[in-house]
Amino acid sequence: KNIRIQVLKALGELGFGHLGGAMSAADVLGVLYGGVMNVDPKNPQWEDRDYFVMSKGHAGPALYAALALKGYFPVEQLLTINTNGTRLPSHPDRNSTTGVDMSTGSLGQGMSTAIGIAHGNKMLGKDNYTYLLLGDGESQEGQVWEGALYAPQHKLSHLIAFLDYNHQQLDGYTKDICDLGDMRQKFQDFGWYALEGDGHDVDAIYDAIALAKHQQEKPTMIVLQTQKGKGCFFAEGIKYNHHMRFSKEQCEEAIARLEKEGC
């Protein structure tokens, strides 16, 4: 809930932004940075830390909110998102933002970079985990499926990926543009340990991660069934909520509802 509130505060200052995908990803980020990931905000470059790769970079505001709430930088800095001179650009940049492990490239590239991190750490004999968040629209990219073949081949069991399956992409619904079908089954067929659940149930997400860590043979894909714009009354259920314009007053009302009703 606090991640969603901070995103609304920050984007409310701008009057526009990638709201939908940031909201649908808030719960998994809350679980990861709220206790699952082995990280140290006071030592962001700690070599044995867990790594996180945000492949769906348009959800950067949610990642920034999670990092700020974790203590990587002051929460007030979130109000500078996507403004001149900011250290919080529209998409994550590891050279700009403390706590960002990997810059977001062209959509789909996060699969490759996360695999590179996980494979490199395995070669070094490390036990840390690499976490990856993919969007469903970007999963139409061929690069994602090349990675889906590669990771099981090399038994990258310390790679745990999540699919933010909110069934929408930039300009419509995935089923109308390039239907993804049963993504859990697809990844299982590619050799992954594949799970599926409610992407807005933090207990279910936590339990799925525990199951992923219990097995040590395969990379894991956790398909999260989510709603784009979740927790924001004026974005939920809207077809074109990938990038929106809105008023500060709308964001303040959304914050008030979150504070009163929760998520």
Side-chain angles (χ1 to χ4, degrees), residues 3 24 27 31 42 44 46 50 52 54 69 120 141 152 175 177 182 190 212 220 228 230 239 243 255 257-258:
I3 290 172
S24 63
D27 297 286
V31 172
K42 296 180 180 178
W46 177 37
D50 289 338
F52 176 77
M54 174 69 85
L69 290 166
E141 294 276 358
K175 65 181 178 62
I177 296 167
D182 187 340
F190 271 66
T220 297
K228 201 161 188 175
K230 176 69 174 178
K239 184 175 183 180
H243 186 281
I255 291 168
R257 294 191 186 194
L258 281 170

Side-chain angles (χ1 to χ4, degrees), residues 25-118:
D27 297 286
V28 66
L29 289 169
V31 172
L32 288 173
Y33 284 96
V36 167
M37 289 180 63
N38 187 20
V39 294
D40 182 0
K42 296 180 180 178
N43 185 12
Q45 298 303 313
W46 177 37
E47 291 186 355
D48 292 325
R49 71 189 184 278
D50 289 338
Y51 287 75
F52 176 77
V53 176
M54 174 69 85
S55 189
K56 49 171 288 179
H58 45 279
L63 174 58
Y64 298 151
L67 291 172
L69 290 166
K70 187 68 174 177
Y72 281 91
F73 51 83
V75 171
E76 292 75 20
Q77 192 174 327
L78 294 171
L79 300 178
T80 71
I81 284 178
N82 208 21
T83 58
N84 289 337
T86 186
R87 299 190 66 82
L88 305 175
S90 179
H91 286 52
D93 178 354
R94 65 184 298 271
N95 294 315
S96 297
T97 310
T98 303
V100 171
D101 293 314
M102 177 54 67
S103 302
T104 296
S106 176
L107 289 183
Q109 289 183 349
M111 174 66 95
S112 298
T113 58
I115 286 173
I117 294 169

Side-chain angles (χ1 to χ4, degrees), residues 225-246:
Q225 293 291 342
T226 60
Q227 181 182 28
K228 201 161 188 175
K230 176 69 174 178
C232 178
F233 77 95
F234 62 84
E236 283 185 4
I238 303 300
K239 184 175 183 180
Y240 298 110
N241 61 4
H242 183 79
H243 186 281
M244 301 178 68
R245 287 192 172 274
F246 34 76

Side-chain angles (χ1 to χ4, degrees), residues 8-231:
L8 285 162
K9 286 181 178 179
L11 295 185
E13 292 295 315
L14 283 174
F16 60 86
H18 290 99
L19 187 60
M23 290 289 159
S24 63
D27 297 286
V28 66
L29 289 169
V31 172
L32 288 173
Y33 284 96
V36 167
M37 289 180 63
N38 187 20
V39 294
D40 182 0
K42 296 180 180 178
N43 185 12
Q45 298 303 313
W46 177 37
E47 291 186 355
D48 292 325
R49 71 189 184 278
D50 289 338
Y51 287 75
F52 176 77
V53 176
M54 174 69 85
S55 189
K56 49 171 288 179
H58 45 279
L63 174 58
Y64 298 151
L67 291 172
L69 290 166
K70 187 68 174 177
Y72 281 91
F73 51 83
V75 171
E76 292 75 20
Q77 192 174 327
L78 294 171
L79 300 178
T80 71
I81 284 178
N82 208 21
T83 58
N84 289 337
T86 186
R87 299 190 66 82
L88 305 175
S90 179
H91 286 52
D93 178 354
R94 65 184 298 271
N95 294 315
S96 297
T97 310
T98 303
V100 171
D101 293 314
M102 177 54 67
S103 302
T104 296
S106 176
L107 289 183
Q109 289 183 349
M111 174 66 95
S112 298
T113 58
I115 286 173
I117 294 169
H119 200 176
N121 284 332
K122 180 180 180 180
M123 292 173 70
L124 292 170
K126 295 185 176 183
D127 291 327
N128 54 343
Y129 280 84
T130 301
Y131 297 92
L132 164 68
L133 183 60
L134 289 165
D136 46 6
E138 73 170 320
S139 295
Q140 297 160 359
E141 294 276 358
Q143 187 169 357
V144 170
W145 299 102
E146 291 178 57
L149 286 169
Y150 184 95
Q153 173 74 24
H154 295 276
K155 295 181 170 57
L156 301 183
S157 61
H158 281 50
L159 171 63
I160 299 178
F162 305 90
L163 177 68
D164 186 9
Y165 206 175
N166 58 40
H167 302 273
Q168 293 180 244
Q169 56 193 96
L170 185 150
D171 53 355
Y173 298 105
T174 53
K175 65 181 178 62
D176 297 328
I177 296 167
C178 190
D179 197 355
L180 296 165
D182 187 340
M183 290 291 278
R184 191 209 62 79
Q185 186 64 55
K186 280 185 170 68
F187 273 90
Q188 179 173 298
D189 291 344
F190 271 66
W192 292 58
Y193 179 58
L195 304 167
E196 185 169 7
D198 183 349
H200 301 309
D201 183 336
V202 293
D203 291 323
I205 297 169
Y206 184 89
D207 290 344
I209 295 169
L211 288 172
K213 289 184 174 183
H214 185 69
Q215 63 85 35
Q216 293 293 311
E217 295 296 324
K218 302 177 179 181
T220 297
M221 169 56 72
I222 302 172
V223 178
L224 301 174
Q225 293 291 342
T226 60
Q227 181 182 28
K228 201 161 188 175
K230 176 69 174 178

